[in-house]
Amino acid sequence: MKTFILTRKNMADLLLSLSGINSRSPIKVLQDSWTGLHKEKNLPPIIQKLLKPTKGETGFSLNEIVSLGNLIEFTNFPQSTVQNWVKRDVKGLIGSPQLGKKYTIEQAAMLFIVEDLKATLDFESIRKILTLVFNNIEDRTDDIVNPTDLYLAYATVFDQIHHQTLPSIKKADGSVNEHIDGFIKEECKTMLSTFDGIKEENLNIVLNVLIVSVLTVQAGFYQATTKKYVTDSLS
């Protein structure tokens, strides 16, 4: 049986569906993202659990967030590492569980974002970057963008790079890397229109955070690919 893996966009769509924002049901999101998926018993235990009817807002234990995170492609989400994050490294960004002993969907998205940024940034840089767009951790309504929306936006751009057909390069000038860089910038600019209520003076801030996020995910992909070749060479 193939390993059940989700792209970042798949995961973002799932989070939005669980929050009731996505028009598709969670199981429909998973069926659309995983070809041949027809029976819920084929899903990992954490997904099966989340698909069961619940009362009130969906919340996650830290263990559940780790289990979800490890379903995302090119991701390494050790539980001990995540525990250190919420207790120390990004405590000021994540905060305490806001649904009793469970974390909100937005807090889960924040942890997935932190994992992506760790590919190239230290925690001090991560905190500085994310506090540009996220304000009071107890009140998500004053954020420039919602964490889940940010996650979906840069996941969508990465999806264009990694899972879609490479656009033809019309101009012969410039290196491949320069064309990829330009493509990322243009796609991130396009994604700005998907956010609601961003003030004009904040557009450039959000754009830069989007570009940084996409580039770090791309770096993570190269790291994962490099490790695979190293493993193949030594096996």
Side-chain angles (χ1 to χ4, degrees):
M1 179 182 290
K2 291 175 64 178
T3 303
F4 187 89
I5 295 293
L6 295 174
T7 68
R8 282 162 177 77
K9 188 175 185 306
N10 295 155
M11 182 59 73
D13 285 336
L14 177 61
L15 293 179
L16 289 169
S17 181
L18 289 169
S19 67
I21 296 175
N22 195 315
S23 59
R24 292 179 294 166
S25 66
I27 187 63
K28 186 64 169 64
V29 168
L30 293 168
Q31 287 173 335
D32 290 346
S33 61
W34 191 250
T35 305
L37 177 66
H38 301 292
K39 298 180 180 178
E40 292 186 27
K41 68 180 182 180
N42 295 330
L43 297 169
I46 177 58
I47 298 294
Q48 292 184 41
K49 183 176 181 179
L50 290 177
L51 292 178
K52 293 178 180 178
T54 58
K55 294 182 179 179
E57 187 176 350
T58 299
F60 306 98
S61 68
L62 203 57
N63 288 344
E64 289 170 339
I65 293 175
V66 169
S67 296
L68 274 178
N70 282 320
L71 296 179
I72 304 170
E73 60 182 355
F74 321 125
T75 298
N76 182 27
F77 226 60
Q79 182 168 337
S80 59
T81 298
V82 179
Q83 287 175 334
N84 287 334
W85 292 356
V86 298
K87 291 179 180 179
R88 183 186 64 222
D89 300 311
V90 289
K91 183 178 180 180
L93 286 170
I94 305 300
S96 302
Q98 295 179 3
L99 296 175
K101 294 183 179 180
K102 294 197 171 186
Y103 294 88
T104 65
I105 289 173
E106 289 79 10
Q107 287 176 301
M110 287 278 282
L111 285 170
F112 295 157
I113 293 169
V114 170
E115 161 62 17
D116 284 339
L117 294 180
K118 275 296 294 173
T120 58
L121 303 178
D122 57 37
F123 280 114
E124 182 178 0
S125 298
I126 290 173
R127 289 190 291 267
K128 288 180 178 178
I129 285 291
L130 293 185
T131 51
L132 291 174
V133 290
F134 304 135
N135 296 310
N136 183 358
I137 60 176
E138 303 296 335
D139 180 12
R140 295 266 71 108
T141 61
D142 67 350
D143 293 339
I144 294 177
V145 295
N146 180 279
T148 314
D149 291 339
L150 177 68
Y151 187 58
L152 174 64
Y154 77 74
T156 300
V157 176
F158 179 72
D159 194 71
Q160 291 292 323
I161 302 168
H162 191 70
H163 295 286
Q164 307 300 324
T165 303
L166 180 69
S168 60
I169 298 176
K170 297 180 180 180
K171 297 181 180 179
D173 59 318
S175 68
V176 172
N177 279 336
E178 287 173 331
H179 282 286
I180 293 175
D181 183 54
F183 178 78
I184 288 173
K185 289 178 181 176
E186 289 305 312
E187 290 298 310
C188 286
K189 287 179 182 178
T190 300
M191 291 307 301
L192 289 176
S193 63
T194 66
F195 296 103
D196 293 328
I198 300 180
K199 296 180 180 179
E200 185 73 24
E201 62 266 27
N202 291 328
L203 286 175
N204 200 51
I205 293 174
V206 177
L207 175 62
N208 285 332
V209 172
L210 274 176
I211 292 172
V212 168
S213 301
V214 175
L215 289 174
T216 59
V217 176
Q218 186 74 353
F221 162 69
Y222 286 134
Q223 288 179 351
T225 303
T226 300
K227 290 177 181 178
K228 177 181 181 301
Y229 279 109
V230 170
T231 301
D232 290 346
S233 299
L234 299 178
S235 61

